[in-house]
Amino acid sequence: MSKKKILIAGGAGFLGSNLCANFLEKGFYVIAVDNLLTGSLDNISEFMGLPDFEFHHCDVTKFVHISGNLDYILHFASPASPIDYLKMPIQTLKVGSLGTLHLLGLAKEKNARILMASTSEIYGDPLEHPQKETYWGNVNPVGPRGVYDEAKRFLEALTMAYRNFHGVETRIVRIFNTYGPKMRLNDGRALPTFLSQALQGEDLTVFGDGSQTRSFCYVDDLVEGIYRLLLSDHADPVNIGNPVEITIKEFAEEIIALTDSNSKLIYKDLPVNDPKQRRPDITKAKNILNWQPLIDRSEGLKKTLAYFQHKLHTTLKSEPHESV
Ligand code: UDP
């Protein structure tokens, strides 16, 4: 039997490249596409040259053409950290709208099943806690985060329209904060920033008073949840995340302890519309996918630390002036 063929948009990004590894390991033929705006060839260099892997440097907001058949499509293309989408607001809106449209069109043409990366950001600064899939959210459309949040809300609406109107087989995953190897050291998110700061003996920049909460999921757990959702028959959105919640101040202290660093915490202004709390309700994923996270934070952080130590070492050696 010939191998199942999967296209992964955003395949050179943090989540995309971890998904490439997973699907290659499971015996799929993987086509990664990426415009390398925030993704990096470093993340997929280990797959280049494998007989079951190809990479296309392509911008899904313009046009996507793939010859031959496709069984599955994953849409993981988008700037995804607050500083990235603040720097690239139009590209963020385009990849969530035009990119989504093109990939849905491709799924329709190829009769492929498509899974869309949505996000806990569609819940905005949530008034319901923890967040269930039935919650509609509290998003400021014209705030700085609106470019990402609204693009992803549009992505969900367009995906349902293609399902209901054209009968395309769709899946939607709502991803909560995820961490692990292949995150960009300087992507501005809490974990890479804190780890880079602690490893370089700099003080850790906690925004606000650090009492806001997040719930961090190790990437391997997320990937397994996505795999199960793709193969399920469930078309409505499903939260995938780790429900163990922590304040950002405690998280920063945890990173200092993990790295055995002498760094202190310093406080900076809280970014506009920064959500005060976030924790997934994963009852649905447990029930329909028989999924729950298996890797706790201490184990996940150790694995991530090893990656960052290695990466920081090689980055500083090759680019001594780059600030990470
Ligand atoms: N944060 C922080 N210091 C940093 C970067 C982020 O205190 O250097 C805070 C940020 O304000 C937010 C939380 O950490 O409350 C998580 O931010 P991140 O950018 O990782 O993801 P978000 O969940 O906000 O998209």
Side-chain angles (χ1 to χ4, degrees):
M1 208 179 79
S2 69
K3 293 195 167 223
K4 293 283 185 200
K5 218 186 237 189
I6 186 164
L7 176 126
I8 305 181
F14 162 46
L15 296 182
S17 59
N18 275 287
L19 287 162
C20 288
N22 174 73
F23 281 95
L24 285 167
E25 205 180 280
K26 294 211 159 79
F28 286 68
Y29 186 96
V30 174
I31 304 173
V33 302
D34 204 297
N35 67 354
L36 302 178
L37 196 62
T38 55
S40 160
L41 288 180
D42 276 358
N43 286 340
I44 51 171
S45 58
E46 65 196 278
F47 316 132
M48 296 289 196
L50 293 180
D52 293 334
F53 182 79
E54 44 183 282
F55 172 70
H56 298 242
H57 188 181
C58 143
D59 184 343
V60 296
T61 68
K62 301 212 165 86
F63 187 68
V64 216
H65 172 74
I66 299 289
S67 53
N69 70 305
L70 275 179
D71 298 292
Y72 300 105
I73 298 173
L74 304 181
H75 182 10
F76 279 72
S78 179
S81 91
I83 61 161
D84 283 341
Y85 52 76
L86 294 183
K87 266 192 285 183
M88 299 174 265
I90 315 276
Q91 286 100 326
T92 302
L93 280 157
K94 280 170 85 173
V95 77
S97 54
L98 298 176
T100 300
L101 180 71
H102 294 153
L103 289 166
L104 281 164
L106 184 68
K108 178 168 165 266
E109 180 191 311
K110 303 284 187 190
N111 208 10
R113 181 180 297 178
I114 183 164
L115 180 144
M116 298 298 191
S118 185
T119 168
S120 58
E121 298 278 339
I122 67 110
Y123 300 124
D125 191 2
L127 304 176
E128 177 180 306
H129 194 71
Q131 292 79 52
K132 279 199 209 64
E133 289 86 349
T134 45
Y135 179 50
W136 290 351
N138 177 37
V139 170
N140 175 5
V142 294
R145 301 174 80 104
V147 296
Y148 185 67
D149 306 1
E150 294 297 355
K152 291 292 190 183
R153 291 173 69 95
F154 177 85
L155 167 147
E156 290 198 5
L158 191 62
T159 301
M160 292 315 277
Y162 262 71
R163 174 176 184 82
N164 296 329
F165 193 73
H166 287 309
V168 173
E169 279 254 28
T170 59
R171 306 284 180 269
I172 298 173
V173 57
R174 290 190 181 148
I175 299 169
F176 284 66
N177 294 65
T178 305
Y179 69 98
K182 299 195 172 172
M183 272 186 122
R184 233 170 62 230
L185 272 60
N186 58 352
D187 87 353
R189 281 189 270 203
L191 177 104
T193 309
F194 292 163
L195 265 181
S196 301
Q197 289 166 334
L199 290 173
Q200 294 181 100
E202 294 166 9
D203 290 337
L204 276 61
T205 50
V206 172
F207 297 161
D209 62 4
S211 64
Q212 69 273 31
T213 66
R214 293 294 185 272
S215 307
F216 294 94
C217 184
Y218 188 67
V219 64
D220 289 359
D221 280 331
L222 178 90
V223 163
E224 177 62 23
I226 289 168
Y227 179 70
R228 290 186 190 201
L229 178 61
L230 180 70
L231 299 188
S232 79
D233 55 8
H234 195 83
D236 290 329
V238 179
N239 288 338
I240 299 284
N242 189 320
V244 179
E245 188 178 2
I246 185 173
T247 68
I248 292 301
K249 180 169 182 282
E250 284 168 323
F251 189 53
E253 283 161 350
E254 222 173 75
I255 303 281
I256 290 179
L258 173 81
T259 51
D260 213 5
S261 149
N262 295 320
S263 302
K264 305 264 173 306
L265 305 187
I266 51 168
Y267 293 87
K268 302 251 174 174
D269 287 346
L270 190 67
V272 175
N273 296 151
D274 197 282
K276 279 180 274 309
Q277 51 183 0
R278 193 184 284 154
R279 170 154 63 103
D281 181 318
I282 57 166
T283 311
K284 195 170 177 181
K286 277 186 179 159
N287 289 342
I288 62 170
L289 308 176
N290 193 22
W291 174 88
Q292 62 179 0
L294 300 176
I295 299 165
D296 66 22
R297 219 171 38 240
S298 68
E299 187 187 349
L301 284 178
K302 274 191 208 126
K303 292 178 190 226
T304 311
L305 173 65
Y307 171 81
F308 270 63
Q309 279 170 322
H310 171 74
K311 198 74 188 168
L312 206 53
H313 186 67
T314 46
T315 310
L316 290 177
K317 247 177 33 191
S318 59
E319 297 167 53
H321 299 300
E322 195 198 18
S323 156
V324 289

